Amino acid sequence: MKRLLSLILSVVLLAGLFPFRVQAAAPLWPENISIQAEGGIVMDADTGTVIFGKNIHTAYYPASITKILTALIVIERCDLDEMVTFSHNAVYNVESGSSSAGLDEGDVLSVRDCLYALLLKSANEAANALAEHVAGTTESFAELMNVRAASLGCQDSHFANPSGLNDPNHYTSAYDMALIGRAALENPTFMEIDSTLYYDLPVTKRNKEGLTIYPGHKMIKKNMPEYYSGALGGKTGYTSLAGNTLVTFASRDGMNLVAVVLNGHSTHYSDTKTMLNFGFRNFLTVPAADFDKDFTSIDNDMTIGGLSPTGLSGLELDPSMKITIPKDAVYSSITSRLSYDLTDQDPAGSIARVQYYWDERPIGFTYLIVTAVSPDQVMLPAQVSSLAESPAQTDPENLSGQETGSDDVSLSEASGDQAVLPAPASWEGQPAPLSDETDPTEAASLTGTPGIPRFVYLIAGCGAGILLLSAAGIIFVIHSRKKEEEDRILRRQRRLERLEQAGITPDEFDSMVQRRRSMAAQKRGSRLRRYHDDELV
């Protein structure tokens, strides 16, 4: 009987040492869609979420959709009233029979006129003239194009000219063009020009009475069979090598989409309609702040000098940032990770970036921002600078046990219809109750009782193989904790600097967190139900 009990106990302990969890399969992202073009994508312009894609990182010739990037750079660098003189090279360094607005060498038009000719008429001479006006030569302008594309996150592209005419070194991908289109959609001047249904060019050498031009994109013309309700603009393209290319901007019910077709075969409009319909029918764009009201997982990772935040009253998620979710979403599918690695380009007052995922698919992000706190909300504590100088703050040995997690930490895991975050250790320094799914190695770090002697004593009789396995596990844990301690020291210093810059002291931060959590508990349920009921009808 004793042998049986010992065997059972050993098995139980082994199962605890090497836990496994049975999790429900993650809900599937809608994918009931297909297109005929070689490459295509539909992206949520507000969040950057790829709703659907086909060969999105494969390089193709873009043809005249290149002019979206050309126009964006010109608008960013020029006044619209500047005057542009057309050179011989601008007019005649184009392929025979390519699109033109009938402009000739010596013609002088405003930047505004040239942009309308570029986007509506797809005039290649206008592309060349604008490029020379901005950078001196088309080759120098191409360098600006590649720099701007890289700044938008493009990685599959290289641009060699401002027009998109055939060149073996001129190519892009569906994903990169969606990023470029997303930037263009955010530019009011670009969209004003691009969505225009007609424009009168001034008198020129070849156009003695001026010239009225119309957009080539048929989906914004109500008298065309390709018309699409909600289409805002875009750009067409075609060469024998590129095939049909098309970028389209569309908006419905507060959702803004960018669709791109590359190497199409006369199905570019139907493929675009298919992708836009799929996006609008199956997805929602919603403010992240309306869903994510829990920040309990920052408890262990935001401790400053032993003073732990206890609520979130003076913190908020950036209300302007959104996420993209399926309309039939189960919110337990949404997880998030917190990162403190911010740059100068991030909003002022931000102390962390929160990235959201749908089963590892990025669906948007927001920022955790420090807001102003009134004097009656908090008790004024010592300044952050004095805390930083305290031995308790700078001695790495005193940091042990104050922070857990990595620089990117899981922020939320939902259960049922609302987000539920993992329970942290209590703020008084006492360990939180352990759930049935608590990893024993995590439990040891929370309670401060590794339990290794008892484990070694019980496992010794199970054989040398288990002992070796256990020793390897212990070595791994020791190495991991050492690395985590080093990371915690670096993270802690960054947080001290970030809060000091924001003018927030640790005790003020504590009070912020406490007030926020109490408010979150009251609001979360009603908002989830509102979105689920109103948006999915």
Side-chain angles (χ1 to χ4, degrees):
M1 186 67 178
K2 291 182 179 180
R3 290 183 178 178
L4 179 60
L5 290 176
S6 297
L7 179 61
I8 293 174
L9 183 57
S10 297
V11 171
V12 170
L13 289 171
L14 283 172
L17 181 62
F18 308 107
F20 62 91
R21 298 171 183 167
V22 178
Q23 298 181 348
L28 296 178
W29 187 265
E31 293 182 344
N32 53 325
I33 176 178
S34 64
I35 60 173
Q36 300 301 311
E38 294 298 319
I41 193 173
V42 59
M43 176 184 286
D44 188 326
D46 292 318
T47 69
T49 301
V50 177
I51 292 176
F52 163 80
K54 177 180 179 181
N55 298 327
I56 64 173
H57 292 292
T58 301
Y60 297 100
Y61 294 120
S64 285
I65 60 175
T66 298
K67 296 182 174 83
I68 294 176
L69 180 57
T70 298
L72 185 62
I73 294 172
V74 171
I75 291 169
E76 292 172 345
R77 291 174 172 265
C78 298
D79 185 283
L80 298 186
D81 292 325
E82 294 176 17
M83 302 307 293
V84 178
T85 300
F86 283 70
S87 68
H88 179 85
N89 178 76
V91 174
Y92 294 101
N93 188 19
V94 297
E95 293 182 7
S96 175
S98 61
S99 55
S100 168
L103 303 173
D104 200 0
E105 179 181 356
D107 283 336
V108 180
L109 278 71
S110 68
V111 168
R112 178 183 290 102
D113 293 333
C114 292
L115 285 170
Y116 276 100
L118 177 78
L119 293 175
L120 271 61
K121 190 63 174 175
S122 198
N124 291 315
E125 73 272 32
N128 288 339
L130 286 169
E132 292 177 349
H133 179 75
V134 171
T137 65
T138 55
E139 292 79 10
S140 295
F141 187 82
E143 294 177 6
L144 295 179
M145 297 174 73
N146 290 311
V147 170
R148 187 67 177 102
S151 74
L152 295 174
C154 300
Q155 298 182 353
D156 312 312
S157 302
H158 186 271
F159 297 96
N161 62 68
S163 62
L165 293 178
N166 292 326
D167 188 305
N169 294 315
H170 191 90
Y171 50 84
T172 190
S173 67
Y175 182 79
D176 285 1
M177 276 310 306
L179 294 180
I180 295 168
R182 184 185 179 197
L185 183 59
E186 293 173 351
N187 188 296
T189 301
F190 178 95
M191 290 307 301
E192 179 183 356
I193 296 172
D194 192 58
S195 61
T196 299
L197 295 178
Y198 69 91
Y199 184 79
D200 292 325
L201 291 175
V203 173
T204 59
K205 291 182 178 180
R206 296 178 183 174
N207 302 312
K208 301 299 184 182
E209 298 180 356
L211 179 68
T212 300
I213 56 176
Y214 305 90
H217 201 308
K218 297 180 181 179
M219 296 182 79
I220 67 173
K221 301 179 180 180
K222 290 186 177 181
N223 61 336
M224 301 297 292
E226 292 85 0
Y227 173 74
Y228 188 83
S229 177
L232 303 175
K235 186 70 187 74
T236 60
Y238 175 81
T239 69
S240 57
L241 293 178
N244 295 109
T245 63
L246 186 66
V247 174
T248 307
F249 312 119
S251 179
R252 286 184 183 177
D253 301 323
M255 189 177 197
N256 302 302
L257 300 182
V258 178
V260 179
V261 171
L262 292 176
N263 198 14
H265 308 288
S266 300
T267 61
H268 46 300
Y269 284 114
S270 59
D271 284 340
T272 297
K273 182 178 180 180
T274 295
M275 290 191 291
L276 292 176
N277 283 342
F278 176 76
F280 288 129
R281 288 173 180 171
N282 293 283
F283 295 87
L284 296 170
T285 306
V286 296
D290 283 0
F291 286 90
D292 191 347
K293 293 296 180 182
D294 293 307
F295 298 93
T296 53
S297 68
I298 70 170
D299 293 354
N300 289 329
D301 206 50
M302 289 291 289
T303 303
I304 302 175
L307 300 176
S308 305
T310 56
L312 293 174
S313 182
L315 297 176
E316 67 177 12
L317 292 176
D318 187 335
S320 67
M321 306 299 287
K322 300 178 180 181
I323 59 175
T324 306
I325 57 175
K327 286 187 175 181
D328 59 353
V330 176
Y331 297 108
S332 60
S333 305
I334 303 173
T335 59
S336 52
R337 297 170 190 164
L338 197 68
S339 174
Y340 303 107
D341 293 331
L342 301 180
T343 67
D344 294 339
Q345 284 69 46
D346 294 313
S350 301
I351 62 170
R353 173 180 167 129
V354 187
Q355 176 70 58
Y356 296 93
Y357 298 87
W358 180 281
D359 188 27
E360 299 304 316
R361 176 191 292 263
I363 58 172
F365 68 91
T366 188
Y367 293 97
L368 188 60
I369 298 176
V370 177
T371 59
V373 183
S374 61
D376 60 343
Q377 287 181 304
V378 298
M379 295 180 60
L380 296 178
Q383 296 299 315
V384 173
S385 58
S386 63
L387 288 173
E389 295 171 358
S390 170
Q393 307 301 315
T394 57
D395 186 356
E397 294 181 0
N398 290 329
L399 294 175
S400 179
Q402 290 181 4
E403 300 181 29
T404 62
S406 62
D407 221 23
D408 289 329
V409 296
S410 175
L411 178 62
S412 67
E413 294 178 355
S415 175
D417 291 333
Q418 62 184 8
V420 179
L421 299 177
S426 66
W427 291 113
E428 292 71 28
Q430 299 299 321
L434 302 180
S435 69
D436 292 338
E437 291 188 351
T438 302
D439 191 313
T441 59
E442 297 172 352
S445 64
L446 290 173
T447 62
T449 306
I452 292 177
R454 185 191 308 174
F455 168 76
V456 174
Y457 176 77
L458 293 172
I459 297 303
C462 295
I466 295 178
L467 284 175
L468 290 174
L469 189 59
S470 301
I474 293 170
I475 293 172
F476 175 77
V477 170
I478 292 173
H479 175 76
S480 298
R481 289 182 179 176
K482 182 179 179 181
K483 181 63 168 61
E484 288 175 1
E485 181 175 333
E486 294 172 353
D487 291 343
R488 284 197 296 268
I489 294 171
L490 294 175
R491 290 199 310 276
R492 180 174 161 280
Q493 183 60 35
R494 287 200 299 268
R495 287 182 219 118
L496 280 171
E497 294 172 353
R498 205 168 289 142
L499 286 175
E500 185 175 14
Q501 292 172 358
I504 302 297
T505 64
D507 284 352
E508 287 174 331
F509 191 73
D510 291 350
S511 179
M512 297 176 198
V513 182
Q514 180 63 37
R515 293 172 62 88
R516 183 68 174 193
R517 188 181 294 112
S518 61
M519 295 171 57
Q522 301 174 8
K523 296 180 180 179
R524 185 192 310 116
S526 60
R527 293 194 177 187
L528 283 172
R529 287 192 295 272
R530 184 187 69 206
Y531 271 106
H532 209 274
D533 294 342
D534 295 347
E535 299 290 354
L536 303 184
V537 173

